[in-house]
């Protein structure tokens, strides 16, 4: 089933679009089945779950952190992840930078944008995005590679469109600044129900769970 789902999704994605499999709650066997079928990037929400999955799967795929990361978990996170998609503060950025320095690693990160401007949610407010990028670009062991957004929860994927547009606009704005060490390459937006709309709005990285692995049972 996972194999067929993956094949269908990959056939649908335009060239140059990366699929990140949102693997929360999935067993290592499910993840391995998808890898056998050609999956190349795993997205994890929790460091502890990622450690378990990494133990079973190893470094033959790329690992993306897509959940909120607490600064005190940065040290563990930088051991596993190739990309941290959810950096939204200097506090977290500094913790990642320091942990990477100790390891001699440069971490690729995306800035998470709170495109719905919901106070209780993670992500930098869109109007603060540029100043965060400027400040973060000073850190030597971090490389900013793009933006990520969730958008407010919406039943109708069309409702997500304005938030994807807002994030895209910021992405292009940062790109034109040509900041040293900042590469606006990845725009990570869209999940199972919204990735088609996200692609129309310029996403080149989509994070898909349910549509690949099936409904989550909690
Ligand atoms: C779970 C999750 C997804 C994927 O959600 P689905 O609706 O299962 O496709 C994408 N991004 C993040 C950050 C997630 O936590």
């Amino acid at each position: 089933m996972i194999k067929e789902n993956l094949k269908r999704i990959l056939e649908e994605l335009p060239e140059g679009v990366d699929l990140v499999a949102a693997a929360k709650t999935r067993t290592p066997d499910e993840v391995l089945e998808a890898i056998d079928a050609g999956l190349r990037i795993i997205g994890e929400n929790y460091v502890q779950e990622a450690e378990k999955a990494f133990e079973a799967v190893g470094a033959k795929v790329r690992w993306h952190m897509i959940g909120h990361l607490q600064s005190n978990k940065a040290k563990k996170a930088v051991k596993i992840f190739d990309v941290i998609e959810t950096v939204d503060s200097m506090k977290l950025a500094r913790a990642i930078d320091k942990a990477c320095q100790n390891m001699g690693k440069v971490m690729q990160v995306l800035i998470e944008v709170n495109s719905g401007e919901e106070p209780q949610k993670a992500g930098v407010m869109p109007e603060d995005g540029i100043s965060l990028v400027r400040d973060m670009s000073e850190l030597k062991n971090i490389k900013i590679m793009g933006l990520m957004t969730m958008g407010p929860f919406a039943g109708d994927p069309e409702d997500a469109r304005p938030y994807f547009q807002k994030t895209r606009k910021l992405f292009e704005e940062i790109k034109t600044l040509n900041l040293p060490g900042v590469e606006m390459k990845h725009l990570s937006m869209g999940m199972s129900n919204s990735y088609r709309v996200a692609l129309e709005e310029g996403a080149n990285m989509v994070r898909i769970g349910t549509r690949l692995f099936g409904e989550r049972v909690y």
Side-chain angles (χ1 to χ4, degrees):
M1 197 58 183
I2 293 173
K3 203 165 254 164
E4 287 77 36
N5 291 345
L6 179 68
K7 190 159 173 279
R8 220 173 335 108
I9 296 165
L10 289 177
E11 276 170 5
E12 196 190 332
L13 294 180
E15 215 175 292
V17 173
D18 287 331
L19 170 65
V20 178
K24 58 178 176 276
T25 78
R26 312 300 176 176
T27 64
D29 279 348
E30 289 174 292
V31 173
L32 283 166
E33 189 182 335
I35 292 168
D36 278 346
L39 181 70
R40 290 290 162 262
I41 309 175
I42 313 293
E44 292 283 352
N45 288 68
Y46 306 101
V47 171
Q48 211 179 346
E49 238 181 82
E51 284 175 330
K52 282 207 190 90
F54 187 84
E55 222 170 272
V57 174
K60 64 185 174 214
V61 288
R62 288 177 63 78
W63 296 85
H64 285 210
M65 179 59 171
I66 61 173
H68 180 66
L69 179 61
Q70 288 167 299
S71 304
N72 62 9
K73 301 262 172 71
K75 219 168 132 180
K76 285 183 171 174
V78 301
K79 286 188 191 146
I80 298 170
F81 293 108
D82 300 290
V83 179
I84 297 175
E85 295 198 18
T86 48
V87 180
D88 62 357
S89 70
M90 269 313 273
K91 182 180 179 215
L92 176 57
R94 281 200 194 94
I96 295 168
D97 183 65
K98 189 168 161 223
C100 281
Q101 185 168 26
N102 295 335
M103 276 182 74
K105 180 171 178 173
V106 174
M107 180 62 67
Q108 299 195 354
V109 304
L110 308 187
I111 309 280
E112 181 175 1
V113 179
N114 184 350
S115 57
E117 297 175 62
E118 299 166 284
Q120 75 284 12
K121 285 226 181 132
V124 65
M125 290 293 170
E127 72 267 25
D128 300 328
I130 288 178
S131 81
L132 179 61
V133 169
R134 279 190 200 282
D135 291 346
M136 274 177 60
S137 69
E138 308 280 323
L139 300 172
K140 295 285 173 275
N141 301 284
I142 279 182
K143 179 142 173 70
I144 302 171
M145 296 296 293
L147 304 182
M148 177 271 208
T149 199
M150 293 281 284
F153 175 79
D156 181 354
E158 271 305 320
D159 294 344
R161 192 183 294 275
Y163 305 102
F164 293 155
Q165 286 172 339
K166 194 189 288 181
T167 308
R168 168 79 184 274
K169 190 164 164 276
L170 181 60
F171 181 82
E172 299 299 340
E173 226 176 296
I174 295 169
K175 199 187 263 185
T176 58
L177 294 176
N178 275 321
L179 296 168
V182 177
E183 203 176 322
M184 281 290 118
K185 184 173 177 199
H186 304 303
L187 184 54
S188 175
M189 327 190 278
M191 324 203 307
S192 289
N193 75 334
S194 60
Y195 71 97
R196 290 194 178 111
V197 173
L199 289 171
E200 286 170 6
E201 298 305 336
N204 58 21
M205 191 171 268
V206 293
R207 308 177 309 270
I208 296 181
T210 314
R211 207 179 160 77
L212 173 61
F213 294 111
E215 288 298 329
R216 274 185 294 277
V217 276
Y218 290 97

